[in-house]
Amino acid sequence: MDLAIKLIVFLPLVAAGIAGLFCRVIGDRPAQIVTCAALLIAAALSVFVFIRIGFGPAEGKLIVVKLFSWIGSGTLDISWSLRVDTLTAVMLIVVTGVSSMVHVYSIGYMEEDPSIPRFMAYLSLFTFFMLMLVTADNLAQLFFGWEGVGLASYLLIGFWYDKPSANAAAMKAFIVNRIGDFGFALGICAVWMLSGSIGFEEIFGKAPQMAQMRIQFLGMDLPALETACLLLFVGAMGKSAQLGLHTWLPDAMEGPTPVSALIHAATMVTAGVFMVCRLSPLFELAPIALMVVTIIGAATAFFAATVGLTQFDIKRVVAYSTCSQLGYMFFACGVGAYSAAMFHLMTHAFFKALLFLGSGSVIHCLHHEQDMRQMGGVREKAPQTFILMWVGTLALSGIGIPFLLGNGLGFAGFYSKDIMLESAYGVHSTVGLIAFWLGVIAAFMTAFYSTRLMFMTFYGKYRGDHHTWDHAHESPAVMMIPLYVLGIGAAFSGLVAYDWFVGHDWQAFWGNAIAVKSTEEVLHHAHSVPLWVKLLPLVMAVSGILLSYYFYVVKTDLPARTVKAFPGLHALFFNKWYFDEIYDAVFVKPALAIGRVFWKKGDGATIDGLGPDNIAARAQDMAGVLMRFQSGYLYHYAFVMLVGVAGLVTYFMLSAR
């Protein structure tokens, strides 16, 4: 088992090193083979570990593989260890499963790119850092993986570095995440100060005592654990693109489509949700922090859904859908339904990766066209992509038949999204009810904009360039196989895993990987909510699909008429609630202006002007004066010597007197 865990984590790193460092020696195809093989082996081993941990005996629910001693300073002693429990095992399945499919898909999608080995190396490096994050046994190790995925995402988003928009998007993602990471680092320091340790077992054991402590922060006397959890959540807000620190996510679409699937579907953006679930023993003792998590998550789910209604870039629609679904996961964590949040994280990984890669298949079919206004009728050219995209769309919308076979029969999102909403209602708190109703409204909008994407892309007549249409074709098999694999997950993962994650077997499955007390209480209430609560999300989803069909298939002039009827509301949603414009006015432009002043007046005029530039100028002036005496004529030099001798004789004569 220890060997399997080590191979899962380090095979992507080895593959990244081979593809990145030896690309000129081995060439494009071997680089693709090495990286894909490493990820497929890691995915297969992850299945083995998942079965062994998730369904093994209770005493084998936690495995810690110590690699080496990492940091030793005073009382701080950190070992680099790989921690694998059920929570980690689920993430291993998600990360390696989606990443392996993305690697295989990239063989076809990036076939014309001149930098294939570099791309494959970046993908594998990203996967390694994500695996380091989810197997962390302490906060320092978690932070290492956290920053590593930030670095790798910068490289992947800015992969096409000759595009200014890609460079700008990469910088934006990196900087916005650094804001969140600053809060995360402060939270880690606070936890260490309170507990004297950053190892998970030690922290969790001291959590009750930490809940009674006070801390001085920004001149205020505050509850220590509440403050630490809020700071930790700031890090999650940045990495998981929650409201306020979400602006980097849609811009990250500038990277190649496989990057979008890897970063935004299953890995980097879910790191924040994983972190909150990992630290659930702390968060369950911090009710104010959980209230904040709930409100931010619910607001994000609603906000992102409104923006998704108006976007025309096919990848941006799916990106805002990701942002919205992450909001669902966070408010589920906020009400204590950690298992429900992880359930949706898993199902979401399958159908969202399917939607991103399916969108990439459409873009590949239409020769890099991404504007849905220039699409239409694509099902004629890409029938397989059409069917698989419908699977992902219905899974995202949460479509299913309630009560059939006990838990109902439907696509993956039908099970996971409903249990999160039922949990929010079941806690009977004010913030829980706010999250429930915002989530229900967001469910309606999700179904509307996701099927809007389908109708604008695949139905009606083609609206783009006819030369492009004449050459449009279905994607090759190497791109379609990952779509079929993800389609199976999007269709059946919810049905298969329901009892394990949130059903009768949840406690035997999870063990002590999440906060048991909170989860037990919340799930009990969730399963006993009124019938209308169980049915309402489905009713809203079906209503959204029908309304979208009416708007974009039956009465195609209605969207334009609606925009004219509500121009202000449309402008608000289309411009993403003007967050970017506000941040530019409040933060970016003043920072650039201040920086320019320091650059011109401080660095240029003062430091350089009085320092090296001034010294160099004076030396140049002196050299110019001295240069005049270097005429090259012997009699000039003899005359100077005579003058010098006469001066010396005069000096000594006067001195002798």
Side-chain angles (χ1 to χ4, degrees), residues 241-252:
Q242 293 300 282
L243 190 64
L245 295 178
H246 68 280
T247 54
W248 67 270
L249 187 69
D251 288 13

Side-chain angles (χ1 to χ4, degrees), residues 144 183 281 343 492 544 556 606 657:
F144 173 85
F343 187 28
F492 301 110
T556 54
T606 305
R657 291 181 181 180

Side-chain angles (χ1 to χ4, degrees), residues 283-335:
F283 277 89
E284 71 171 341
L285 299 175
I288 298 174
L290 285 180
M291 289 176 59
V292 173
V293 173
T294 306
I295 293 297
I296 294 293
T300 303
F302 178 82
F303 155 78
T306 62
V307 179
L309 295 172
T310 60
Q311 301 302 302
F312 293 106
D313 186 303
I314 188 171
K315 289 172 63 176
R316 285 182 178 263
V317 174
V318 184
Y320 277 107
S321 147
T322 298
C323 190
S324 181
Q325 298 303 304
L326 289 166
Y328 277 93
M329 299 177 207
F330 273 111
F331 77 62
C333 291
V335 299

